[in-house]
Amino acid sequence: MSPDAPAPGFGPNAGTDSAGLMRRIDTTKAHPARVYDVFLGGTDNFPADREAAAMAPAASPRGHLDVRHNRDFVRRAVTELTTGAGIRQFLDVGAGLPTRQNVHQIVQDVAPESRIVHVDHDPVVLVHAQALLTSSTEGRTDYIEADLRDPAKILLEARRTLDFDSPVALVLAAVLHFIEDDEAYDIVRNLLDALPSGSHLVLSHLGEDMNPVAINKVAETFRKRGFSFVLRSHAGIERFLTENGLEQLEPGIVPAHHWRPDHAADAAEAPEPAPSAEHLAGLDAIERTRYVSIGEATDDDINVYVTVARKG
C-alpha cells in the first residue's frame, strides 16, 4: 500500500480544532450515534440522547438486544474478513463513538498492519476519536468527518489512508436506515464502484418484516424525535447486493444473531454478577439492560438483518 499519509497513528484530521468542534455540538437534540452509545453503556452522551433512548423500551422492552447484537455481528464479520479473507483495509462509515470492540481494535489485534478509516458527521464523535483512536505502530487508523450522503467526500479523504487498488471492506452497520430509499441505493453504489475486486460489504439494517409490530413502534418513537428512520424488508436489503453484483457469503441475509454465532460475551454486558432484585428494580430500563445477556435473545427479539458480501 502506498497512501499519501506518511506515518502510522491517527490520520490527517488529528489536528482538527477540538474547541471549534465542541462549539458545534447541539446537546439539546438527540443524535443517533449518541443514542447508540447509551444502549452500549457508554458515557459520551447527553440528556436529550438518554431521553430518546429511554423511549425505546416502552415500545419494545428487549429492543436493546438489536443494538448489542448489531455490534456483535460487526465484531464477528470483521474478524472473519481479517482472518479468513485476508482483508487489511476497512472503511467504516457511520462508525459512531469509539467504544469497546471498535473495528480498528478488532482488526489490528489480529493483523497489526491493517489500515482503518472511520467516518461520522457528529462533532462529538470526532472529538472523542481524536482522544481515543490509536493505531498499532505497523498500521494506521484515521477518522474523517463526513456525511454518508456525501460519498464523494468520503472516498476523497479515505484515499489518504487506504489504497483503493487493494481490497477494502466497506462497513455500513446500522446506518442506512437513516437514509431515504432511492438515495440509499445510490450511495451504496457510489461507494462500491470505487472499490476493487475482492472488496467486501459488511451490512446491517433494521428490517420491517421480522417482528413488524415491535420494530414499527420503535421506529415511530425515533421519528417523533426528528430522526429519519426507514425500515426495509429482506428483499429491500438484498437489493443493495444484487444491484451491485455482490456475492453473499454464507449464511446470506439473516437476523443478526444467526450470522456465524460464536456465543462470546457482549462487551456491553456488566462484568459483575447481577445485583439483588431490589437493587435491579431501582435501576432505570437502560441500566438494567447491562444485566441481560445477548445469549438470551430469541428470534422474537431481533429486528436487524445482516450480511457480508464480496465484490467479484
Side-chain angles (χ1 to χ4, degrees):
M1 290 182 288
S2 57
D4 295 337
F10 193 83
N13 283 307
T16 303
D17 178 12
S18 294
L21 287 169
M22 292 298 292
R23 286 192 293 271
R24 290 168 41 208
I25 296 170
D26 184 354
T27 63
T28 67
K29 295 181 180 179
H31 187 281
R34 302 195 301 263
V35 173
Y36 196 83
D37 183 64
V38 174
F39 284 116
L40 291 174
T43 58
D44 301 317
N45 48 73
F46 300 98
D49 307 305
R50 294 189 286 274
E51 289 171 9
M55 296 173 66
S60 178
R62 290 167 67 82
H64 63 279
L65 290 168
D66 277 333
V67 176
R68 288 167 52 191
H69 267 290
N70 175 74
R71 170 66 62 167
D72 200 59
F73 157 70
V74 172
R75 175 187 65 82
R76 300 193 306 276
V78 300
T79 298
E80 172 62 28
L81 291 181
T82 306
T83 59
I87 300 297
R88 296 294 182 266
Q89 301 189 108
F90 290 79
L91 178 57
D92 181 16
V93 184
L97 285 152
T99 61
R100 291 165 293 182
Q101 294 188 317
N102 210 315
V103 169
H104 75 282
Q105 295 169 321
I106 299 165
V107 170
Q108 291 186 340
D109 279 351
V110 177
E113 72 276 18
S114 299
R115 293 175 177 255
I116 301 94
V117 173
H118 297 283
V119 183
D120 209 285
H121 70 286
D122 180 9
V124 170
V125 172
L126 191 58
V127 168
H128 285 280
Q130 290 178 359
L132 298 177
L133 282 183
T134 57
S135 174
S136 63
T137 56
E138 302 95 328
R140 186 171 180 84
T141 299
D142 190 16
Y143 215 120
I144 61 178
E145 184 183 17
D147 194 307
L148 177 57
R149 295 177 179 84
D150 190 356
K153 179 180 179 182
I154 291 171
L155 294 168
L156 176 65
E157 297 201 19
R159 289 179 186 277
R160 298 172 181 170
T161 301
L162 304 179
D163 175 10
F164 281 13
D165 290 328
S166 298
V168 176
L170 171 63
V171 181
L172 295 173
V175 64
L176 286 172
H177 46 243
F178 296 113
I179 307 294
E180 298 297 332
D181 281 334
D182 289 340
E183 185 180 10
Y185 294 105
D186 290 342
I187 288 167
V188 174
R189 183 183 67 253
N190 288 335
L191 290 171
L192 287 171
D193 280 352
L195 306 183
S197 176
S199 294
H200 287 72
L201 173 65
V202 176
L203 175 66
S204 65
H205 197 298
L206 285 171
E208 67 178 6
D209 51 1
M210 280 187 277
N211 298 295
V213 173
I215 193 59
N216 275 285
K217 286 181 179 178
V218 172
E220 187 58 30
T221 64
F222 285 112
R223 290 177 187 133
K224 288 178 179 177
R225 305 293 298 198
F227 296 161
S228 296
F229 220 84
V230 181
L231 302 177
R232 293 185 172 90
S233 66
H234 185 284
I237 293 164
E238 187 174 31
R239 182 181 161 193
F240 287 112
L241 311 183
T242 56
E243 288 192 354
N244 293 290
L246 303 184
E247 175 189 358
Q248 297 180 41
L249 274 61
E250 291 293 337
I253 301 171
V254 295
H257 61 310
H258 289 315
W259 198 92
R260 305 188 185 186
D262 60 9
H263 309 292
D266 174 19
E269 292 175 19
E272 67 274 9
S276 67
E278 181 180 2
H279 179 71
L280 197 61
L283 301 177
D284 67 31
I286 298 297
E287 291 172 328
R288 287 197 296 272
T289 64
R290 299 184 65 231
Y291 298 96
V292 179
S293 171
I294 61 171
E296 298 180 25
T298 69
D299 289 350
D300 291 336
D301 296 320
I302 302 303
N303 303 281
V304 179
Y305 281 120
V306 304
T307 192
V308 179
R310 184 181 185 276
K311 181 175 180 179

